[in-house]
Amino acid sequence: MTVFKAYLKILNKNKFLVILYTVILIFFAGFNMQNNDTGTSFMAEKPDVLIVNENETDNVTKNFIQYIEKHTTIKEVQETEEARNDALFYRDVNYIIYIPKDFKNSFLEGKKLNVEIKSTGDYQASLAEMLVNRYFNVANIYRNVIKDEETLLEMINTTLEKEVFIEVTSKLDIEKFAKATLFYNFANYSILAGCVFIICFMVSSFKEQKVKLRIMVSSIEYKKFNRQLLFSNSLFAIVLWLCYVILSIILVGDVMFTNQGMFLILNSFIFTISALTLALLIGNLVHNKEAMSGIVNVIALGSSFLCGAFVPTEFLPDFVLKIAHVLPSYYYIHNNDLIASLETINLETVKPIFLNMGILLFFGFMFVVMTNIITKKRNR
Amino acid sequence: MKNVIEVKNLIKEYKNIKAVDGISLEVKKGEILGLLGPNGSGKSTTINCILSLLNFEKGTIQIFGKPMAPNAYDIKREIGVVFQDVAVFEELTVEENIDYFCGLYINDKRLRKQYIEEAIELVSLNEFKKFYPKQLSGGLLRRLNIACGIAHKPKLIFLDEPTVAVDPQSRNNILDGIEKLRENGATIVYTTHYMEEVEILCDRVIILDKGKVIANGTPDELKELANMEEKVNVEVDSITEKQLEEIKKLKNVDEIYYHNQNLTVIYKKGKNNLITLIDYFKKESILYDKIYSERPTLNDVFLELTGKELRD
Ligand SMILES: Nc1ncnc2c1ncn2[C@@H]1O[C@H](COP(=O)(O)OP(=O)(O)OP(=O)(O)O)[C@@H](O)[C@H]1O
Ligand SMILES: [Mg+2]
């Protein structure tokens, strides 16, 4: 407890920098979020859809059109292909659905492409596309089992009623989710800087040669002292991480409680562990407090830039990304991006995510091994 | 009473020098033992070996009748150490520093609080409780360093040159504090190369040189070794060769040195030597200025034993 108490006191005197790193995080992540904020207005808006029906209005077609009408805003333009293209171009329409002549039959037979589409390819278009896909996916489930046309349509409708809402909200979360990813990418800097600065500072304070002698002649077991120091450092890292998680929930909201959000949180936790071990390694290597802020900048800023915490990785030159492979931050940020693009959760899709987490843990393991080698050498 | 510390035949070698070369020593309960020696004589090394901070090549060390080892925590609990170099946390105040180091020994919160108060009192840092080490002068810092080492009321205290580079006021304060610690029943090992301190403070002195014990005894016993009883220094206006010869023949005079109007007369034994000398000056009408008589110092002892000065 003694070590922990002194730790808290010294931490309290260095809180300013940690707060600064956090403010930077809120400021930049928050600022970038504002930029993307137009997304919120999208969300309420239904996509504008144009239906080109070359079919007679049989029940099957009608049912499909009704479904689309219910969830989108139906637009009408002149019945020429040119007018339709213009409408797409000027974003009067996000999505055009061409219902072919033999729609009913091919639908009932379960042929692959029932409709043709044209799309602006933007966010609302993808929403419309999602609606269409959903309809046919649900239809596929029942088509083989239910042969009666009327019952089939009824089953489709009731199922869609139940599920469409949930699915739409989860798709709508894409915008929020982009913000969450942004926040967590940026947190790479704050977690690294906070951990490396504070933990290095603490290790060099407590293990300063002369102060260490005092501990070695005292009746406290040196191993026990080490454990207390490790515990304090770990607790600090975890509390810092927890603060950032809470902060993310405040900033981006309940999207953090979805599966993807949980993955982001888990990923950042594992990254925090590797940041902690890295900080312990550096703390045991460098005992010079003056050099500390320089080291923090090199490590936190350096790896944040190289690994794309501030700039999306697509904009970074290839060779930079190659260098970045030796840094834990790369796998953390890469993982954030993977999680962001996670459509469905199954063994195939989460495998690369867990692989990256494994790499992060391996980094942590290597840092611990190196720290042990160094301290053993020192003590001799 | 049994010995608190018993060191037998301690040898500690660094690459090619023997920093400690076969030292044996005992420290009795309740005494202040002075370890006196010039720079590099092996004082700190000896203490660090006794504390199990250093591995040593040969020898046995017993404290409180038990063998000392790095994991002898029951022994360590009763020991307080004040290192030669100041070792405190820059980020903690005077009070917080003492609290931390005392907390390594004392878990009971209330007891610790009382001990901290007493330690601060002992080194007179009351006004500086909330100060940070950076805000303290060298002397005050040394006093904090001492408080950190002894706050847990150890039975055995090691002080390694606690007064190096300290102003006279702090020095007196520190020496008073050590005296008080002894009064409270602590056994103290005190390292220094200031012989004056040793003479005031120590019950027994061990003189080290080149890693060896060259003398061991009470200050008075050691002064016997200096092979003189009294030393008289006079500033004279002028004096002839003949007069110097005559002074040398005065009663009890052993040796005289004359240099730059400074006359030193050394007596091996006897009393009233000063009066005899002054009488002679009157008779010969020799004008003199300051005159003072000195008992031999430990420096003289050191000089006698090694042929060199304690301090360079
Ligand atoms: N780590 C070390 N490596 C090599 N030699 C050392 C080391 N520490 C001390 N020595 C040598 O051992 C000898 C004794 O040193 P020690 O520090 O014990 O002297 P000391 O009596 O405490 O001197 P001081 O009055 O300067 O503190 C010296 O010659 C010193 O140079
Ligand atoms: Mg020394």
Side-chain angles (χ1 to χ4, degrees):
Chain A
M1 275 313 273
T2 338
V3 176
F4 183 60
K5 250 178 66 190
Y7 187 99
L8 285 186
K9 281 180 192 154
I10 298 176
L11 178 62
N12 188 37
K13 273 146 205 168
N14 283 298
K15 60 177 180 270
F16 175 74
L17 264 168
V18 181
I19 293 173
L20 182 73
Y21 296 136
T22 310
V23 169
I24 292 176
L25 172 64
I26 297 173
F27 183 78
F28 277 94
F31 181 75
N32 279 319
M33 284 175 190
Q34 289 304 312
N35 270 356
N36 289 357
D37 219 23
T38 36
T40 18
S41 50
F42 276 165
M43 261 174 249
E45 258 173 54
K46 291 175 173 178
D48 298 323
V49 174
L50 173 68
I51 297 177
V52 183
N53 189 5
E54 294 164 2
N55 198 11
E56 312 90 69
T57 38
D58 57 86
N59 275 350
V60 175
T61 315
K62 224 194 242 164
N63 194 62
F64 176 63
I65 291 174
Q66 270 168 7
Y67 163 78
I68 295 295
E69 277 173 351
K70 203 168 175 183
H71 298 286
T72 63
T73 313
I74 298 295
K75 293 270 163 154
E76 281 178 29
V77 295
Q78 269 186 350
E79 298 212 356
T80 65
E81 199 52 31
E82 206 188 332
R84 287 170 194 147
N85 286 341
D86 282 351
L88 266 188
F89 183 79
Y90 293 111
R91 296 288 195 274
D92 292 333
V93 159
N94 302 108
Y95 203 71
I96 305 175
I97 303 172
Y98 295 89
I99 299 179
K101 274 223 161 67
D102 59 340
F103 177 72
K104 179 183 170 181
N105 287 333
S106 71
F107 178 78
L108 290 175
E109 281 161 23
K111 276 186 187 155
K112 255 252 148 123
L113 236 181
N114 301 101
V115 290
E116 269 182 57
I117 48 143
K118 268 187 183 170
S119 154
T120 49
D122 60 8
Y123 170 69
Q124 280 169 302
S126 71
L127 209 60
E129 182 176 315
M130 188 273 302
L131 284 166
V132 172
N133 285 341
R134 174 114 293 250
Y135 187 88
F136 291 114
N137 284 342
V138 170
N140 277 333
I141 300 170
Y142 296 113
R143 191 161 35 215
N144 295 332
V145 214
I146 304 167
K147 290 294 167 214
D148 177 48
E149 190 185 299
E150 210 150 304
T151 351
L152 176 63
L153 292 179
E154 219 164 275
M155 274 314 282
I156 291 173
N157 288 347
T158 41
T159 312
L160 284 172
E161 274 318 302
K162 264 187 260 160
E163 285 188 17
V164 92
F165 181 72
I166 306 161
E167 194 61 26
V168 168
T169 46
S170 106
K171 270 287 179 187
L172 288 175
D173 286 343
I174 289 173
E175 284 296 317
K176 275 191 184 172
F177 202 76
K179 288 185 187 177
T181 314
L182 194 92
F183 176 90
Y184 276 93
N185 278 353
F186 205 92
N188 174 69
Y189 172 74
S190 300
I191 290 175
L192 260 185
C195 280
V196 172
F197 178 77
I198 288 297
I199 290 167
C200 281
F201 193 92
M202 292 298 174
V203 171
S204 45
S205 278
F206 279 87
K207 293 202 172 170
E208 195 270 327
Q209 206 51 41
K210 295 166 201 156
V211 173
K212 191 171 142 183
L213 279 184
R214 274 234 155 100
I215 289 156
M216 285 172 75
V217 297
S218 79
S219 57
I220 199 169
E221 207 179 323
Y222 192 70
K223 268 189 196 149
K224 198 172 153 195
F225 157 78
N226 253 337
R227 272 201 302 272
Q228 286 194 27
L229 188 59
L230 180 66
F231 166 79
S232 309
N233 277 326
S234 309
L235 194 69
F236 166 77
I238 287 172
V239 168
L240 187 74
W241 165 77
L242 214 61
C243 286
Y244 289 165
V245 169
I246 292 169
L247 203 62
S248 73
I249 293 171
I250 294 171
L251 285 175
V252 297
D254 50 7
V255 75
M256 292 316 299
F257 298 113
T258 60
N259 283 337
Q260 275 165 291
M262 288 296 155
F263 265 113
L264 277 186
I265 291 172
L266 176 67
N267 193 37
S268 65
F269 178 72
I270 287 171
F271 176 66
T272 305
I273 291 175
S274 74
L276 166 73
T277 54
L278 174 65
L280 288 172
L281 173 64
I282 298 167
N284 279 299
L285 265 178
V286 189
H287 284 318
N288 184 347
K289 282 183 193 164
E290 276 77 50
M292 211 84 75
S293 59
I295 291 169
V296 170
N297 285 337
V298 168
I299 289 179
L301 274 180
S303 59
S304 293
F305 270 117
L306 287 181
C307 304
F310 306 141
V311 183
T313 32
E314 302 98 72
F315 298 137
L316 291 174
D318 254 4
F319 78 94
V320 170
L321 282 178
K322 277 212 179 90
I323 298 170
H325 274 70
V326 300
L327 301 167
S329 291
Y330 173 81
Y331 298 93
Y332 167 65
I333 291 167
H334 184 52
N335 228 13
N336 279 344
D337 296 341
L338 277 183
I339 294 167
S341 61
L342 198 63
E343 286 278 331
T344 46
I345 291 171
N346 60 41
L347 207 65
E348 258 336 280
T349 53
V350 297
K351 216 166 144 190
I353 292 172
F354 280 118
L355 184 70
N356 281 331
M357 288 179 183
I359 294 173
L360 281 176
L361 288 176
F362 181 71
F363 267 107
F365 175 74
M366 288 313 290
F367 292 146
V368 170
V369 169
M370 280 153 82
T371 310
N372 277 338
I373 292 172
I374 285 165
T375 44
K376 285 239 170 75
K377 259 192 184 154
R378 281 260 166 86
N379 289 348
R380 213 167 284 151
Chain B
M1 181 60 217
K2 261 180 105 180
N3 290 326
V4 173
I5 304 178
E6 271 186 33
V7 177
K8 287 208 183 92
N9 265 319
L10 183 66
I11 294 179
K12 167 73 193 173
E13 283 170 7
Y14 288 115
K15 273 189 190 121
N16 34 26
I17 49 163
K18 279 189 174 170
V20 176
D21 189 3
I23 284 182
S24 296
L25 56 86
E26 284 119 40
V27 184
K28 296 185 185 73
K29 186 162 191 273
E31 75 173 350
I32 300 185
L33 174 78
L35 273 184
L36 185 67
N39 290 121
S41 55
K43 304 183 294 287
S44 300
T45 309
T46 305
I47 288 191
N48 289 341
C49 287
I50 294 177
L51 291 170
S52 278
L53 285 176
L54 285 174
N55 262 333
F56 44 87
E57 273 64 41
K58 252 190 188 166
T60 57
I61 293 168
Q62 290 211 321
I63 300 182
F64 303 127
K66 284 176 269 185
M68 180 62 174
N71 59 358
Y73 297 110
D74 50 334
I75 297 177
K76 284 181 165 183
R77 191 164 298 127
E78 305 294 346
I79 296 179
V81 187
V82 177
F83 289 101
Q84 186 167 352
D85 301 309
V86 175
V88 292
F89 285 97
E90 291 295 324
E91 301 80 15
L92 299 181
T93 64
V94 166
E95 209 174 14
E96 290 167 345
N97 260 303
I98 302 174
D99 184 31
Y100 173 73
F101 290 113
C102 188
L104 295 176
Y105 300 85
I106 309 275
N107 285 325
D108 182 343
K109 222 174 166 181
R110 211 179 301 153
L111 188 65
R112 192 162 72 229
K113 199 157 186 241
Q114 179 201 330
Y115 280 10
I116 294 165
E117 282 302 313
E118 286 172 18
I120 289 175
E121 186 71 38
L122 185 84
V123 294
S124 311
L125 280 176
N126 307 50
E127 296 160 46
F128 304 98
K129 272 187 207 173
K130 299 273 180 260
F131 279 52
Y132 288 93
K134 266 196 194 119
Q135 300 165 302
L136 299 178
S137 71
L140 295 178
L141 205 53
R142 288 260 157 200
R143 276 144 72 172
L144 168 62
N145 196 40
I146 293 172
C148 290
I150 53 89
H152 58 287
K153 296 203 191 277
K155 287 187 189 145
L156 173 61
I157 300 171
F158 292 85
L159 293 133
D160 196 356
E161 311 211 23
T163 55
V164 159
V166 158
D167 56 287
Q169 193 204 340
S170 280
R171 171 186 298 235
N172 288 339
N173 184 293
I174 289 171
L175 296 182
D176 286 350
I178 294 170
E179 196 65 60
K180 269 184 234 154
L181 288 173
R182 191 241 306 261
E183 279 163 25
N184 294 340
T187 305
I188 294 168
V189 177
Y190 185 88
T191 297
T192 185
H193 55 244
Y194 294 118
M195 57 203 169
E196 304 88 344
E197 293 179 354
V198 172
E199 284 182 48
I200 303 167
L201 208 59
C202 297
D203 303 304
R204 212 154 49 83
V205 183
I206 288 176
I207 300 182
L208 296 183
D209 186 40
K210 293 182 185 148
K212 284 196 164 91
V213 175
I214 56 168
N216 179 352
T218 64
D220 283 335
E221 282 169 359
L222 291 186
K223 280 174 199 169
E224 298 279 306
L225 298 174
N227 208 11
M228 66 161 111
E229 177 69 25
E230 193 177 5
K231 191 158 94 179
V232 175
N233 289 299
V234 210
E235 269 179 41
V236 287
D237 249 11
S238 64
I239 196 163
T240 64
E241 281 296 319
K242 189 168 159 271
Q243 285 167 329
L244 285 176
E245 280 304 307
E246 280 179 10
I247 291 172
K248 201 166 181 182
K249 283 183 192 125
L250 288 174
K251 198 183 160 206
N252 291 337
V253 171
D254 183 43
E255 253 181 288
I256 63 167
Y257 305 98
Y258 182 70
H259 183 63
N260 273 352
Q261 300 189 322
N262 275 323
L263 177 66
T264 306
V265 187
I266 291 170
Y267 300 89
K268 274 209 168 150
K269 54 186 191 299
K271 283 191 178 123
N272 303 329
N273 292 326
L274 188 59
I275 295 170
T276 324
L277 186 65
I278 292 173
D279 282 347
Y280 176 78
F281 282 172
K282 276 184 188 154
K283 194 184 101 204
E284 294 283 315
S285 306
I286 297 169
L287 292 174
Y288 62 92
D289 205 1
K290 284 178 210 145
I291 179 161
Y292 57 95
S293 157
E294 257 184 299
R295 305 257 302 139
T297 63
L298 290 174
N299 192 31
D300 297 313
V301 179
F302 195 76
L303 194 64
E304 178 73 23
L305 294 174
T306 67
K308 63 186 183 200
E309 297 267 341
L310 195 51
R311 263 190 285 167
D312 28 39

